[in-house]
Amino acid sequence: MDQRQAQVDIDRLSDRDKRDLQQSINNEMQKAKIQESVHELTDICWTKCVTGAISSSGLDRKEEPCVRNCVERFLDANEAVLKHLSVMRGQGGV
Amino acid sequence: MDSLNPSLSASDPKAALMKQVQQEAAINNARQLISKMNSHCFEKCIPTPGSSLSSREEKCFTTCMEKYMAAWNTVSRQYIGRIQKTAGGGAGSGGDMGEFGI
């Protein structure tokens, strides 16, 4: 029902509208990918940084910088992995 | 808001479609948050499940939920800052990833 409605609507769109729509959807997909990464990072860094009992509704003085460092170092580690992989590939692999 | 206008879909199919895409993305995002929040806070607040949820456990859960959202927002800001630095600064309308909160 909703599907059919959408189909009819798409047929009525001009080429320019279709291009605009494609662009907006690409933006939305990129946003979704970033949000996906944020979920994953929050998962990892929560486990690393929020180690005590839950006592306050915000991050405390230790947790806040820990979470920020956690994000940065995780991404550093990710880059290091990619870098080393490309070195290994240059050496003819393993 | 214009979403309350019933003729929107007929008069502007492009906007209506985009709205649907955005709504589904938002639902997906929220669903993921809820799922992760639930498992992390369950871990933290209910180490040994009893025959019912105690008021202390419930209090812990609400505090934990707020804390998890705070963590999500902190991670989001840090991650987007990093992406923008890597992309050379001027890229896009960063920070528009939405925030969770009450």
Side-chain angles (χ1 to χ4, degrees), chain A:
Chain A
M1 10 157 250
D2 268 346
Q3 211 74 29
R4 211 182 118 256
Q5 180 63 45
Q7 192 56 55
V8 170
D9 287 340
I10 284 172
D11 290 341
R12 260 194 287 148
L13 291 174
S14 68
D15 283 350
R16 181 156 174 273
D17 277 349
K18 282 181 189 163
R19 265 204 312 281
D20 287 354
L21 204 54
Q22 190 59 56
Q23 183 60 50
S24 305
I25 287 172
N26 288 348
N27 289 346
E28 208 57 43
M29 273 166 60
Q30 200 186 4
K31 194 168 136 184
K33 251 164 74 183
I34 292 171
Q35 282 171 340
E36 180 73 40
S37 302
V38 173
H39 283 297
E40 196 200 334
L41 283 164
T42 307
D43 190 356
I44 291 162
C45 296
W46 173 274
T47 307
K48 283 263 185 227
C49 297
V50 183
T51 50
I54 303 292
S55 55
S56 68
S57 59
L59 295 171
D60 70 24
R61 226 171 300 147
K62 269 185 165 168
E63 290 160 347
E64 166 93 26
C66 177
V67 167
R68 284 193 273 110
N69 287 335
C70 172
V71 170
E72 294 288 343
R73 297 298 79 73
F74 187 89
L75 297 172
D76 285 349
N78 195 35
E79 279 172 23
V81 166
L82 294 176
K83 203 172 137 203
H84 190 58
L85 278 172
S86 81
V87 170
M88 284 162 77
R89 195 169 48 210
Q91 289 166 349
V94 205

Side-chain angles (χ1 to χ4, degrees), chain B residues 68-79:
Chain B
Y68 196 83
M69 290 185 204
W72 198 95
N73 292 335
T74 299
V75 168
S76 177
R77 274 194 297 273
Q78 195 73 24
Y79 182 54

